[in-house]
């Protein structure tokens, strides 16, 4: 296995790195590259949205009426505050106050859970109305012909985003576990920062999703 | 730095046992794991190719039915693309030599590197399990609405390809991080070997384009499972949109396949002409230029698929731009050989074979990029011949050349030169006999993916099938030459070819940590004075 | 050998349409440009390989790193040639997309595994497009199920027939005769069987073909037309060869043995049930061949026509 | 010190950024109720992009980061734009926006009452 050694500041440095700062910079660079792949993956959905909205504007207009923009706005606020507390948790790890950082991480986790709960209500409300995706679509009196297309896009976008929120929550739990074990110090906290970057990306995607899906006119 | 280095120990005998291989984090061992899996998949894909050629020897149905032929054609395409030629050079030769060539002890994220190999193996496992769930007959492009309507196991196979996509993303991510952050002191970007430049440009494409394939395949699964209607005309979607999504990944993917091969050929030409490469910056930056422009040209696959005339003109024009850096590389290689001291060892033979076949592949590519000609030649055997000239004549020749060039360094043994040259003769001759007639078949209008054809095409198809047996013989001889090398165990010197890049300054096979002390680099990679 | 590559006509299909000459001359240019650049590149390579053989292992080689003028030359010249080919190709392509107004309209419907042409006066023909010589013809194409592609090599034209979309294609042929027509977009089992003919006939023959109303045709002839139009031709042959389904040759009155061991005589009722409900009984050896049902697509008269046609196939 | 980017953002910068994001969210919702036709999506995207840049710059510490990481994430957004741009060139130049037979809705032109944004 790749051996790691402890350098003079007490940081664990893996064999292929000469020192801790090179290791941290590479780690962060790697996370940014991963975020690029996430952005490119979601780009497929955004392009599909843009193309179909320009071809069938009336479907999107009618479709968005079934969405409650208040729930969307609430979710946006929830995710923005979770981004704040995520950034603050890194701030406190830098300051060495691990306990406070732990609290902020817990709050971020809580916000993630809240987001999923709100999404759960939205989904059940729609499925109850028959607005289920694809050929399970039983909503009869849609004015436009292919209303199912709008909900196809809606479920794909929010579904994939939801999966990423859950993954983010699992990563935060993993970082909290390592924090409790005392693995992080003001000189070594790349993992917290990496998970933070991923969580901010999940928030970014929702920032774009909210106006596109909920505020169509 | 690291444990004391025991004399005679290297990365192969550093740890023993299968478990040490399956959980290794050493980039060299992961390269060997990829070598074995890619060669295994290549054998399967090759057998399917032989089966196709056998069926097409004569008109009418000889050995396999139309449905079975469609499955064999799809499997040949998918296995060769996803499991052989995309991971081929980057994950095998790239994994092994990129860290050594830039003076690093390992790639930036060893654990991700091992995960990338497991993604390939698990993805391949899922894809192969599709065979037992009804097989797959959509062609490697999965065009909708056929891939939605067919009753074969498309979802299982597509999920397999989805998982294999992560193998490519993780390799690309690793290479970009390693190239940026782990270079030895003194190794500036302009002192990196050209193989590293090629892998770097490939990594950019792998990271930027493969996620789009991931979302396209997910949408295809959602389309089949839920019928969301993105790509299904009857539900308001647009099949041509699927082609846009698919080719946005797949054209950069063909550059993932060829760019590493261009990198290997730069190394071989410089080493076997004992001359510093001509136009280093031109070749290095043309790799990056090809990687960048490759994202703007995908529409040349869709001239006759209902794409608008304006979009077709833009795509055709930009495709012509991609031809220029490729031509630059070829001319620079020939200029390198001017006033060199050339030795025709087997790697050099493969490099020259590459240049011969890749030039034909390149110029026929320009023909297909021309709109009026593509209307006639699209989806005919002209296209089949073009991409085989570029993929088999290009990347596979470069893989064989790379294996022979670095074999002494990887395993410490010399291979038998005569057998290697014999395999070259068979492959080169067999290749031309197989695929040049297909150019003519294409101009005469024989469509692609035909299980049966009209009698006018019979004679050229028969010739093409003869050629395919020579190619198979060539690769078998190549395999034998490698197996014999392991049996004879003839010790190889540290630098059999007198090359100047970093991997030839360490013992062969290299030690676990590559370098006892990280070297400081003060010259270019090809300082043949 | 040189003649082989000299001019495209030597190996390309006969020039059947007005586009063919233009496309072939452009193709000639690219072939000759390729041969010349190939000879320069690979010729130079071979010369250098022969001239600079390695004499000893520590030969001194010249340390040349680059030459800006030379590098400019071999990037600018290919760029100009490529751009010239692009413009020429685009100009020709533009003609293929300029649909003349006084053209003959034909609707083409691609389906799994055949083509149905519907002419302006409602006449239909299966897998065979009959057009008058010297007149522009505009095909408006679509597909019933998956993407197919209408390709006539001699006319150098090709266009996908995409379901849910109308795609157009036009040509004018100045040369009488029959030309091969293929489907070039992969569409499943009998993709390679979707072959048809384009018959370029004189104006008189074309008018007679259009006017050939149904009344004067014998029942067997009507059956043959239905055999083509309804798509039976895609899977059943009339000369004994097995395509996807069994052949109709000598079928009438023969005893058919089924995959489940039972047998039956091929008579009117057997023919009718196997058209409307093919899943009921499978002929031995074709158990896994899925024949779509024609319920609601074939009228009773057409079934009688088909029966008469099968009778006529001794 | 060995920490990466050893300068830390102060606490109230974070709070100010959070405030700005909330304000922008309210702005997005508020502006959606006015009728600018196709311009609405452009404005919504513009505000969303500002929010995204704010989050990336401060929360994701791009302000102290190497230009390499900025170029990396910038190239991602550039290629998303290329991806959409070229498909848009094709789809918009062959799609006649007047008649789309598949979704022939009767145009939704009932009088646009000034209800809460939800109606828009």
């Amino acid at each position: 296995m790749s051996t790691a050694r402890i350098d003079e500041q007490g940081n664990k440095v893996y064999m292929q790195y000469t020192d801790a700062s090179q290791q941290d910079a590479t780690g962060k660079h790697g996370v940014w590259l991963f975020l690029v792949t996430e952005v490119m993956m979601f780009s497929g959905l955004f392009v599909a949205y843009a193309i179909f909205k320009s071809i069938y504007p009336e479907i999107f207009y009618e479709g968005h009426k079934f969405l409650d923009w208040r729930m969307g706005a609430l979710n946006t606020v929830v995710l923005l505050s979770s981004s704040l507390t995520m950034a603050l948790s890194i701030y406190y790890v830098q300051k060495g106050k691990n306990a406070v950082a732990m609290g902020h991480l817990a709050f971020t986790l809580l916000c993630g859970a809240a987001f999923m709960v709100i999404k759960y209500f939205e989904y059940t409300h729609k499925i109850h109305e028959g607005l289920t995706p694809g050929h399970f679509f039983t909503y009869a009196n849609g004015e436009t012909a292919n209303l199912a297309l709008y909900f196809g896009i809606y479920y794909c976008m929010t579904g994939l985003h939801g999966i990423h929120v859950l993954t983010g929550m699992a990563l935060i739990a993993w970082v909290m576990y390592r924090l409790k074990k005392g693995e992080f110090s003001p000189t070594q906290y790349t993992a917290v920062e990496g998970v933070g970057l991923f969580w901010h990306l999940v928030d970014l995607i929702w920032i774009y999703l909210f106006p596109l899906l909920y505020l169509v006119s | 730095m690291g444990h004391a280095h025991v004399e005679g120990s290297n990365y192969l005998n550093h740890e023993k046992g299968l478990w040490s291989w399956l959980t290794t984090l050493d980039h060299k061992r992961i390269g060997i794991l990829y070598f074995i899996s890619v060669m295994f998949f290549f054998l399967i894909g090759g057998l399917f190719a032989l089966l196709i050629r056998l069926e097409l020897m004569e008109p009418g149905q000889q050995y396999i039915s139309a449905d079975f032929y469609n499955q064999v054609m799809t499997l040949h395409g998918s296995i060769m693309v996803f499991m052989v030629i995309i991971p081929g050079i980057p994950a095998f030769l790239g994994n092994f030599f990129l860290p050594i060539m830039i003076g690093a002890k390992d790639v930036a994220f060893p654990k991700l590197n091992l995960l990338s190999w497991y993604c390939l193996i698990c993805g391949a496992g899922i894809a192969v399990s599709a065979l037992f769930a009804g097989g797959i007959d959509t062609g490697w492009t999965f065009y909708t609405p056929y891939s939605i309507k067919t009753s074969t196991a498309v979802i299982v196979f597509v999920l397999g390809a989805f998982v294999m996509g992560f193998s490519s993303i993780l390799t690309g991510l690793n290479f970009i991080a390693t190239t940026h952050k782990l270079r030895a002191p003194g190794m500036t970007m302009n002192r990196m070997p050209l193989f590293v430049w090629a892998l770097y440009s490939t990594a950019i494409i792998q990271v930027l384009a493969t996620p789009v394939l991931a979302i396209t395949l997910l949408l295809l699964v959602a389309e089949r499972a839920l019928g969301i209607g993105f790509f299904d005309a009857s539900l308001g979607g647009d099949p041509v949109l699927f082609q846009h999504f698919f080719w946005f990944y797949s054209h950069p993917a063909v550059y993932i396949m060829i760019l590493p091969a261009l990198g290997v050929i730069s190394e071989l030409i410089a080493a076997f002409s004992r001359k510093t490469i001509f136009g280093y910056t031109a070749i290095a930056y043309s790799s990056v230029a090809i990687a960048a422009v490759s994202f703007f040209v995908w529409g040349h696959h869709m001239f006759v698929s209902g794409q608008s005339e304006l979009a077709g003109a833009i795509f055709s024009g930009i495709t012509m731009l991609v031809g220029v850096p490729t031509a630059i590389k070829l001319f620079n290689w020939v200029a390198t050989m001017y006033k060199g001291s050339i030795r025709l060892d087997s790697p050099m033979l493969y490099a020259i074979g590459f240049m011969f076949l890749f030039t034909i592949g390149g110029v026929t590519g320009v023909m297909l990029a021309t709109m009026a000609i593509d209307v006639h030649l699209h989806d005919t055997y002209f296209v089949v011949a073009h991409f085989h000239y570029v993929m088999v004549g290009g990347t596979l020749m470069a893989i064989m050349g790379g294996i022979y060039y670095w074999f002494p360094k990887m395993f410490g043994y010399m291979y038998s030169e005569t057998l290697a040259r014999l395999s070259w003769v068979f492959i080169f001759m067999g290749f031309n006999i197989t695929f040049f007639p297909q150019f003519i078949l294409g101009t005469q209008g024989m469509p692609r993916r035909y299980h049966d054809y009209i009698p006018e095409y019979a004679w050229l198809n028969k010739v093409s099938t003869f050629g395919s047996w020579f190619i198979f013989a060539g690769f078998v001889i190549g395999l034998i030459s490698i197996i014999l090398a392991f049996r004879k165990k003839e010790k190889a010197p540290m630098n059999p070819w007198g090359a100047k890049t970093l991997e030839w300054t360490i013992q062969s096979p290299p030690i676990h940590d590559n370098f006892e002390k990280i070297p400081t680099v003060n010259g270019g990679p090809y300082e043949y004075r | 050998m040189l003649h082989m590559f000299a001019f495209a006509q030597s190996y390309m299909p006969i020039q059947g349409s007005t586009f063919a000459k233009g496309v072939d001359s452009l193709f000639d240019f690219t072939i000759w440009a390729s041969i010349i650049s190939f000879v320069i590149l690979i010729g130079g390579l071979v010369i250098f390989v022969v001239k600079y053989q390695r004499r000893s292992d520590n030969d001194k080689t010249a340390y040349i790193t680059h030459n800006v003028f030379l590098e400019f030359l071999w990037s600018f010249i290919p760029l100009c040639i490529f751009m010239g080919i692009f413009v020429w190709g685009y100009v020709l392509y533009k003609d293929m997309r300029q649909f003349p107004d006084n053209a003959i309209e034909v609707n083409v419907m691609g389906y799994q595994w055949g083509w149905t042409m519907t002419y302006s006066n409602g006449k239909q023909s299966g897998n065979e497009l009959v057009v008058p010589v010297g007149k522009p013809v505009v095909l408006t194409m679509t597909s019933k199920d998956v993407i197919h592609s209408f390709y006539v090599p001699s006319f150098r034209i090709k266009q996908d027939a995409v379901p849910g979309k109308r795609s157009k294609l036009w040509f004018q042929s100045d040369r009488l005769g029959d030309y091969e027509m293929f489907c070039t977009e992969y569409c499943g089992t009998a993709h390679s069987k979707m072959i048809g003919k384009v018959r370029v006939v004189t104006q008189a023959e074309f008018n007679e073909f259009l006017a050939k109303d149904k009344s004067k045709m014998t029942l067997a002839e009507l059956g043959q037309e239905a055999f083509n139009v309804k798509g039976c031709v895609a899977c059943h042959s009339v000369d004994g060869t097995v395509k996807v389904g069994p052949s109709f040759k000598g079928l009438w009155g023969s005893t058919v043995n089924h995959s489940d061991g039972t047998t039956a005589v091929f008579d009117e009722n057997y023919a009718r049930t196997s058209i409307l409900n093919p899943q009921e009984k499978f002929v031995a050896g074709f158990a896994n061949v899925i024949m779509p049902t024609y319920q609601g697509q074939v009228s009773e008269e057409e079934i009688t026509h088909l029966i008469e046609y099968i009778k006529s196939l001794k | 010190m060995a920490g990466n980017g050893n300068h830390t953002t102060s606490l109230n910068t974070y709070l100010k950024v959070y405030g700005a994001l909330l304000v922008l969210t309210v702005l997005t919702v508020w502006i959606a109720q006015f009728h600018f036709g196709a311009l609405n999506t452009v404005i919504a995207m513009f505000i969303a992009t500002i929010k995204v840049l704010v989050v990336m710059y401060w929360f994701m510490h791009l302000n102290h980061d190497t230009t390499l990481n900025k170029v990396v994430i910038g190239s991602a957004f550039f290629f998303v734009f290329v991806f959409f741009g070229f498909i848009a060139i094709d789809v918009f130049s062959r799609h006649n926006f007047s008649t789309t037979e598949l979704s022939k809705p009767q145009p939704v032109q009932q009088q646009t009452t000034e209800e809460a944004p939800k109606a828009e």
Side-chain angles (χ1 to χ4, degrees), chain C residues 161-172:
Chain C
V162 182
K165 205 186 290 294
R166 295 286 180 275
S167 50
K168 287 169 74 126
L169 175 71
W170 85 278
F171 62 86
Q172 175 180 329

PDB file of all heavy atoms in Angstrom, chain C residues 161-172:
ATOM      1  N   ALA C 161     -34.770   9.027 -43.302  1.00  0.00           N
ATOM      2  CA  ALA C 161     -36.222   9.163 -43.090  1.00  0.00           C
ATOM      3  C   ALA C 161     -36.422   9.004 -41.585  1.00  0.00           C
ATOM      4  O   ALA C 161     -36.227   7.900 -41.048  1.00  0.00           O
ATOM      5  CB  ALA C 161     -36.975   8.077 -43.851  1.00  0.00           C
ATOM      6  N   VAL C 162     -36.710  10.103 -40.916  1.00  0.00           N
ATOM      7  CA  VAL C 162     -36.774  10.112 -39.447  1.00  0.00           C
ATOM      8  C   VAL C 162     -38.238  10.094 -39.005  1.00  0.00           C
ATOM      9  O   VAL C 162     -39.054  10.857 -39.557  1.00  0.00           O
ATOM     10  CB  VAL C 162     -36.081  11.391 -38.901  1.00  0.00           C
ATOM     11  CG1 VAL C 162     -36.099  11.390 -37.385  1.00  0.00           C
ATOM     12  CG2 VAL C 162     -34.668  11.483 -39.447  1.00  0.00           C
ATOM     13  N   PRO C 163     -38.616   9.182 -38.074  1.00  0.00           N
ATOM     14  CA  PRO C 163     -40.018   9.168 -37.628  1.00  0.00           C
ATOM     15  C   PRO C 163     -40.376  10.499 -36.970  1.00  0.00           C
ATOM     16  O   PRO C 163     -39.531  11.091 -36.293  1.00  0.00           O
ATOM     17  CB  PRO C 163     -40.073   8.012 -36.618  1.00  0.00           C
ATOM     18  CG  PRO C 163     -38.674   7.765 -36.223  1.00  0.00           C
ATOM     19  CD  PRO C 163     -37.805   8.174 -37.378  1.00  0.00           C
ATOM     20  N   GLY C 164     -41.585  10.977 -37.199  1.00  0.00           N
ATOM     21  CA  GLY C 164     -42.043  12.211 -36.561  1.00  0.00           C
ATOM     22  C   GLY C 164     -41.519  13.444 -37.256  1.00  0.00           C
ATOM     23  O   GLY C 164     -41.620  14.552 -36.724  1.00  0.00           O
ATOM     24  N   LYS C 165     -40.931  13.276 -38.439  1.00  0.00           N
ATOM     25  CA  LYS C 165     -40.347  14.446 -39.120  1.00  0.00           C
ATOM     26  C   LYS C 165     -40.446  14.198 -40.624  1.00  0.00           C
ATOM     27  O   LYS C 165     -40.376  13.061 -41.074  1.00  0.00           O
ATOM     28  CB  LYS C 165     -38.867  14.528 -38.720  1.00  0.00           C
ATOM     29  CG  LYS C 165     -38.224  15.891 -38.792  1.00  0.00           C
ATOM     30  CD  LYS C 165     -36.732  15.764 -38.506  1.00  0.00           C
ATOM     31  CE  LYS C 165     -36.439  15.426 -37.041  1.00  0.00           C
ATOM     32  NZ  LYS C 165     -36.848  16.583 -36.162  1.00  0.00           N
ATOM     33  N   ARG C 166     -40.668  15.280 -41.398  1.00  0.00           N
ATOM     34  CA  ARG C 166     -40.657  15.126 -42.866  1.00  0.00           C
ATOM     35  C   ARG C 166     -39.278  15.558 -43.352  1.00  0.00           C
ATOM     36  O   ARG C 166     -38.840  16.671 -43.051  1.00  0.00           O
ATOM     37  CB  ARG C 166     -41.706  16.058 -43.495  1.00  0.00           C
ATOM     38  CG  ARG C 166     -43.134  15.735 -43.135  1.00  0.00           C
ATOM     39  CD  ARG C 166     -43.622  14.489 -43.855  1.00  0.00           C
ATOM     40  NE  ARG C 166     -45.018  14.171 -43.518  1.00  0.00           N
ATOM     41  CZ  ARG C 166     -45.382  13.474 -42.451  1.00  0.00           C
ATOM     42  NH1 ARG C 166     -44.458  13.060 -41.590  1.00  0.00           N
ATOM     43  NH2 ARG C 166     -46.641  13.188 -42.197  1.00  0.00           N
ATOM     44  N   SER C 167     -38.557  14.666 -44.052  1.00  0.00           N
ATOM     45  CA  SER C 167     -37.278  15.114 -44.624  1.00  0.00           C
ATOM     46  C   SER C 167     -37.391  15.035 -46.141  1.00  0.00           C
ATOM     47  O   SER C 167     -38.048  14.139 -46.672  1.00  0.00           O
ATOM     48  CB  SER C 167     -36.144  14.212 -44.129  1.00  0.00           C
ATOM     49  OG  SER C 167     -36.490  12.859 -44.314  1.00  0.00           O
ATOM     50  N   LYS C 168     -36.757  15.996 -46.815  1.00  0.00           N
ATOM     51  CA  LYS C 168     -36.945  16.079 -48.270  1.00  0.00           C
ATOM     52  C   LYS C 168     -35.644  15.794 -49.003  1.00  0.00           C
ATOM     53  O   LYS C 168     -34.564  16.013 -48.473  1.00  0.00           O
ATOM     54  CB  LYS C 168     -37.424  17.509 -48.631  1.00  0.00           C
ATOM     55  CG  LYS C 168     -38.869  17.757 -48.228  1.00  0.00           C
ATOM     56  CD  LYS C 168     -39.201  19.230 -48.340  1.00  0.00           C
ATOM     57  CE  LYS C 168     -39.350  19.626 -49.796  1.00  0.00           C
ATOM     58  NZ  LYS C 168     -40.656  20.284 -50.063  1.00  0.00           N
ATOM     59  N   LEU C 169     -35.807  15.310 -50.234  1.00  0.00           N
ATOM     60  CA  LEU C 169     -34.647  14.924 -51.043  1.00  0.00           C
ATOM     61  C   LEU C 169     -35.066  15.105 -52.482  1.00  0.00           C
ATOM     62  O   LEU C 169     -36.212  14.795 -52.834  1.00  0.00           O
ATOM     63  CB  LEU C 169     -34.384  13.428 -50.764  1.00  0.00           C
ATOM     64  CG  LEU C 169     -33.308  12.686 -51.546  1.00  0.00           C
ATOM     65  CD1 LEU C 169     -31.928  13.161 -51.117  1.00  0.00           C
ATOM     66  CD2 LEU C 169     -33.407  11.190 -51.239  1.00  0.00           C
ATOM     67  N   TRP C 170     -34.135  15.656 -53.352  1.00  0.00           N
ATOM     68  CA  TRP C 170     -34.584  15.782 -54.742  1.00  0.00           C
ATOM     69  C   TRP C 170     -33.483  15.336 -55.669  1.00  0.00           C
ATOM     70  O   TRP C 170     -32.309  15.321 -55.300  1.00  0.00           O
ATOM     71  CB  TRP C 170     -35.014  17.222 -55.042  1.00  0.00           C
ATOM     72  CG  TRP C 170     -33.893  18.137 -55.436  1.00  0.00           C
ATOM     73  CD1 TRP C 170     -33.048  18.779 -54.596  1.00  0.00           C
ATOM     74  CD2 TRP C 170     -33.501  18.488 -56.782  1.00  0.00           C
ATOM     75  NE1 TRP C 170     -32.143  19.520 -55.326  1.00  0.00           N
ATOM     76  CE2 TRP C 170     -32.395  19.363 -56.652  1.00  0.00           C
ATOM     77  CE3 TRP C 170     -33.969  18.154 -58.053  1.00  0.00           C
ATOM     78  CZ2 TRP C 170     -31.764  19.900 -57.770  1.00  0.00           C
ATOM     79  CZ3 TRP C 170     -33.317  18.683 -59.153  1.00  0.00           C
ATOM     80  CH2 TRP C 170     -32.238  19.558 -59.002  1.00  0.00           C
ATOM     81  N   PHE C 171     -33.865  14.915 -56.854  1.00  0.00           N
ATOM     82  CA  PHE C 171     -32.865  14.543 -57.866  1.00  0.00           C
ATOM     83  C   PHE C 171     -33.521  14.671 -59.228  1.00  0.00           C
ATOM     84  O   PHE C 171     -34.747  14.751 -59.344  1.00  0.00           O
ATOM     85  CB  PHE C 171     -32.374  13.097 -57.661  1.00  0.00           C
ATOM     86  CG  PHE C 171     -33.442  12.055 -57.799  1.00  0.00           C
ATOM     87  CD1 PHE C 171     -33.777  11.517 -59.046  1.00  0.00           C
ATOM     88  CD2 PHE C 171     -34.147  11.611 -56.683  1.00  0.00           C
ATOM     89  CE1 PHE C 171     -34.779  10.572 -59.167  1.00  0.00           C
ATOM     90  CE2 PHE C 171     -35.151  10.671 -56.798  1.00  0.00           C
ATOM     91  CZ  PHE C 171     -35.465  10.148 -58.045  1.00  0.00           C
ATOM     92  N   GLN C 172     -32.666  14.704 -60.271  1.00  0.00           N
ATOM     93  CA  GLN C 172     -33.185  14.637 -61.646  1.00  0.00           C
ATOM     94  C   GLN C 172     -32.298  13.681 -62.405  1.00  0.00           C
ATOM     95  O   GLN C 172     -31.066  13.847 -62.406  1.00  0.00           O
ATOM     96  CB  GLN C 172     -33.149  16.027 -62.296  1.00  0.00           C
ATOM     97  CG  GLN C 172     -33.560  15.978 -63.767  1.00  0.00           C
ATOM     98  CD  GLN C 172     -33.515  17.357 -64.410  1.00  0.00           C
ATOM     99  OE1 GLN C 172     -33.738  18.347 -63.724  1.00  0.00           O
ATOM    100  NE2 GLN C 172     -33.210  17.400 -65.684  1.00  0.00           N
TER     101      GLN C 172
END
